[in-house]
Amino acid sequence: MRRLPALPMLLASMIVLTSCASPTGQAPAPRSVAGVTVPAPLPPQPVTDSMHGVRVDDPWRFAENVSDPTVAGWKKSQAEATQQILARLPGREALLQRVREIDAAAAGQLQALRRTDSGRLFFTRRDPGENQFKLVMRDGVGGADRVLVDAEALGKRAGKPLAILDFAPSHDGGFVAYTLQVGGSEIGALHVMDVAAGQDIMAPIDRIRFSGASWLRDGSGLFFSRLREGYETMPDTEKFGDRTTHFPVVEHAPGTAGLQSAA
């Protein structure tokens, strides 16, 4: 079942939370749970902020830095210990198999249905056993589904996890703009596809966070918003504050569109 991988980290977090408290303020030693040795939390690294004149201590803030090899290694060891604990639960395999059977028999999920003036339907779909939603088009209610964008397959080829963040078909259904985000960051690149050809008609446009794409009625172009250049280096409270608005002109022939910006 696709949601089960989250359970080890959840249980690991519970173990950590119950073992972090220490009356002496010292990090506890490794402990044994169900016969499995669970690594102790990392030693605290006190950080103090002053909030409106009030002293606020945060000894565990460093653990949020998952790019730190020490933190990443500790989290991995916690997950491995949790997997071992789960594997020892009586009856787990039989229960897990039944859950998988139920999940495989369930219907797929559909989201974000869009109906164009031409009657075409655009939506995202995820079938049992799949991790990511696909972008799908159907010619009318009785038409066959056609997958336009398989984010999971694209991610495997690219060597990084991809997902569809948002999409917007043109009014006649001839084009569709869609954003592929990387690694759950909610930031990605905007693509514009010629639906009949099944091909993008311009180079991907980066710095996209929920594009809000809106097409002109005749499909000759679309407006979308884009994060400002250099947003990565700005404070978290400011990086998403300002955006620019752009307008790509879309020619009705693949490969001939150009990008013109209007801030």
Side-chain angles (χ1 to χ4, degrees):
M1 184 177 181
R2 52 182 170 270
R3 299 179 184 84
L4 286 176
L7 286 175
M9 287 305 299
L10 176 60
L11 186 53
S13 299
M14 295 172 63
I15 293 171
V16 171
L17 288 174
T18 57
S19 61
C20 280
S22 173
T24 63
Q26 300 298 317
R31 59 182 300 187
S32 178
V33 178
V36 176
T37 300
V38 179
L42 297 171
Q45 299 179 18
V47 175
T48 301
D49 293 316
S50 179
M51 303 291 185
H52 305 287
V54 177
R55 177 188 174 98
V56 179
D57 296 323
D58 186 353
W60 306 109
R61 183 184 301 174
F62 75 96
E64 299 176 4
N65 182 15
V66 295
S67 62
D68 183 337
T70 300
V71 174
W74 174 77
K75 287 180 178 288
K76 181 179 180 181
S77 67
Q78 291 286 326
E80 290 172 347
T82 304
Q83 288 280 17
Q84 296 178 45
I85 295 170
L86 289 175
R88 299 188 181 195
L89 292 176
R92 178 179 183 271
E93 286 304 317
L95 177 60
L96 180 59
Q97 180 59 34
R98 180 55 181 151
V99 170
R100 286 171 173 163
E101 292 173 359
I102 295 173
D103 188 58
Q109 296 182 350
L110 300 182
Q111 290 186 351
L113 177 65
R114 308 280 192 272
R115 184 182 185 277
T116 66
D117 294 345
S118 62
R120 278 185 168 175
L121 303 176
F122 291 79
F123 52 90
T124 54
R125 186 190 74 205
R126 184 176 68 184
D127 294 329
E130 296 179 340
N131 293 315
Q132 297 294 344
F133 283 87
K134 297 178 173 68
L135 177 58
V136 181
M137 186 274 292
R138 181 185 299 180
D139 273 318
V141 176
D145 287 355
R146 176 186 165 197
V147 176
L148 300 178
V149 181
D150 186 339
E152 190 166 354
L154 291 174
K156 289 179 179 178
R157 289 199 292 270
K160 54 187 176 183
L162 298 176
I164 297 170
L165 181 60
D166 58 14
F167 70 92
S170 61
H171 292 275
D172 64 359
F175 297 93
V176 62
Y178 64 95
T179 302
L180 285 177
Q181 63 171 319
V182 181
S185 64
E186 295 188 348
I187 300 174
L190 180 73
H191 301 250
V192 179
M193 175 186 287
D194 180 299
V195 174
Q199 298 178 349
D200 287 358
I201 59 174
M202 63 176 66
I205 303 167
D206 63 359
R207 307 200 315 265
I208 302 297
R209 185 175 189 262
F210 301 105
S211 67
S214 179
W215 286 86
L216 295 182
R217 177 63 61 178
D218 62 2
S220 62
L222 71 157
F223 293 93
F224 68 89
S225 65
R226 190 182 190 190
L227 295 174
R228 56 184 163 181
E229 189 172 359
Y231 78 93
E232 305 97 327
T233 62
M234 306 194 69
D236 290 341
T237 54
E238 299 179 21
K239 63 174 56 176
F240 301 140
D242 293 334
R243 305 188 185 201
T244 54
T245 299
H246 297 260
F247 181 78
V249 175
V250 178
E251 301 290 344
H252 284 257
T256 59
L259 177 64
Q260 299 177 354
S261 297

